[in-house]
Amino acid sequence: MMKKKNTLSVKMMNILQKGIHRLSDDATGRIGKYIESRMTQQDLFMNKSGEEDIYYTAFGWMLSYLFGIKIRCEQARRQLQNLAIDSGDLIQYAAYIRSKMLLDLLNGNYGRMLFKSIVPSTKAGKTVFVSFPHNDCCSPYSTFIRLSLLEDMNCKIRNKKEMTGSLAAYRVSATGGYSNIAGNSAASVNATSAALSVIGQLEGYALNDDVDYLYRLQDDSGGFYASENTPLPDVLSTATALFVLNCYGITPRIGPMHFIEAHWLESGSFAPTLFEETSDIEYTFYGLLALGTC
């Protein structure tokens, strides 16, 4: 029998676990305390403004599971139901579904995380949603989120050729790579990583010119630029690029450990760039994801 391919969510979980295993006891304790500091009294997680937010809760609960931070699951489930969720917004709905699954994982039900369908599959169809990143349901990032949602809900992917074929309109042929804006002349790490993840999951992780584009965007510091025109590498772009290169079996040109360490703050979180000294639960997630690829 053919072994079932890991979903993107499981791949990220595995890389995060590797990153956490690389931490010293002191670093583990400091990061764990930071994660707890971003949790509200209702066991949800805060955004940059200190408000409960479903998007940040998905990151927070995944890190809580990996760091062994206690979540009162039944209370959290009730609070999740009370949280205002725009089910027509692709990003919010995907975060909501992932958060529901993470509660099952935090409650000890690993089998449900890997991944039994917990909501009707028709919700994952792109026609249900009215709000998308970049206002485009077919952009690489939107397609990546839709695929992740379908995988998390254990839905069969019936339109693989349509999903990968639609990405051609976003490819930047002059340089390689992808943009989240159709016909754009400049590619970006975010869009390229998203497109390569979709193609890899649906067609197999075969090397191509777009993987080479991603590989070339690494700075001598070990970090990755968001695009060729960006002056400074950042943690999010570095994490996503390293994650995708890892999926394709590619070792980066320069080991990123020093770059990652330079962005680790006294608080235990990770700064977005070297010019910023504040962080949030999302960037802590990406810092650890980057560390897991080292």
Side-chain angles (χ1 to χ4, degrees):
M1 181 181 293
M2 184 180 295
K3 184 179 179 180
K4 187 175 181 180
K5 179 170 57 180
N6 278 344
T7 67
L8 287 164
S9 292
V10 172
K11 288 177 187 286
M12 286 188 183
M13 183 79 81
N14 290 339
I15 294 294
L16 283 165
Q17 286 180 319
K18 290 179 181 178
I20 293 166
H21 288 157
R22 296 184 67 91
L23 297 172
S24 66
D25 290 343
D26 175 66
T28 300
R30 286 167 58 189
I31 295 173
K33 286 180 180 178
Y34 175 78
I35 294 167
E36 290 179 323
S37 77
R38 302 305 297 168
M39 192 190 307
T40 70
Q41 292 182 347
Q42 287 72 41
D43 289 10
L44 302 177
F45 277 80
M46 296 181 278
N47 60 23
K48 296 177 190 293
S49 301
E51 301 166 337
E52 292 178 342
D53 190 296
I54 186 61
Y55 178 75
Y56 289 86
T57 294
F59 288 115
W61 283 351
M62 185 175 287
L63 292 180
S64 294
Y65 170 73
L66 293 170
F67 277 83
I69 295 170
K70 184 175 177 57
I71 300 291
R72 294 166 294 180
C73 293
E74 291 311 310
Q75 171 179 296
R77 196 180 303 279
R78 290 193 298 271
Q79 295 302 322
L80 185 64
Q81 298 302 328
N82 294 334
L83 200 61
I85 306 297
D86 182 357
S87 60
D89 184 304
L90 176 63
I91 296 294
Q92 282 213 353
Y93 189 76
Y96 171 70
I97 292 301
R98 183 161 294 171
S99 296
K100 287 184 69 175
M101 291 180 0
L102 284 163
L103 277 182
D104 286 314
L105 185 60
L106 285 157
N107 208 26
N109 193 344
Y110 188 70
R112 187 141 177 167
M113 175 71 180
L114 296 177
F115 285 121
K116 295 180 181 178
S117 181
I118 57 175
V119 289
S121 61
T122 53
K123 269 287 188 181
K126 65 182 180 181
T127 56
V128 170
F129 302 104
V130 295
S131 180
F132 300 90
H134 310 95
N135 296 315
D136 186 347
C137 68
C138 294
S139 73
Y141 185 53
S142 291
T143 303
F144 170 82
I145 296 297
R146 284 198 290 120
L147 176 61
S148 298
L149 180 56
L150 287 165
E151 288 184 337
D152 287 352
M153 293 166 61
N154 199 30
C155 295
K156 185 174 182 179
I157 314 298
R158 302 184 183 278
N159 57 337
K160 294 182 181 180
K161 289 185 178 179
E162 178 187 339
M163 292 183 83
T164 56
S166 67
L167 296 173
Y170 303 86
R171 188 174 186 275
V172 181
S173 57
T175 60
Y178 290 80
S179 170
N180 278 311
I181 301 172
N184 199 9
S185 60
S188 72
V189 160
N190 176 290
T192 304
S193 297
L196 289 173
S197 294
V198 171
I199 292 167
Q201 285 296 100
L202 299 182
E203 295 183 352
Y205 287 90
L207 299 183
N208 55 60
D209 291 342
D210 303 310
V211 177
D212 186 59
Y213 164 82
L214 202 59
Y215 179 86
R216 295 196 313 268
L217 275 186
Q218 190 178 30
D219 179 61
D220 287 343
S221 67
F224 283 77
Y225 295 97
S227 70
E228 292 181 17
N229 299 321
T230 304
L232 200 67
D234 67 271
V235 166
L236 190 155
S237 299
T238 299
T240 54
L242 289 172
F243 172 73
V244 172
L245 290 175
N246 184 272
C247 288
Y248 278 85
I250 298 295
T251 300
R253 181 173 59 91
I254 298 170
M257 180 63 79
H258 291 307
F259 176 86
I260 298 166
E261 288 179 341
H263 289 73
W264 192 42
L265 300 173
E266 191 67 27
S267 65
S269 61
F270 289 84
T273 70
L274 288 178
F275 288 166
E276 300 172 75
E277 293 190 6
T278 59
S279 187
D280 55 41
I281 202 71
E282 179 183 15
Y283 275 95
T284 302
F285 173 96
Y286 282 117
L288 292 166
L289 185 68
L291 184 62
T293 66
C294 295

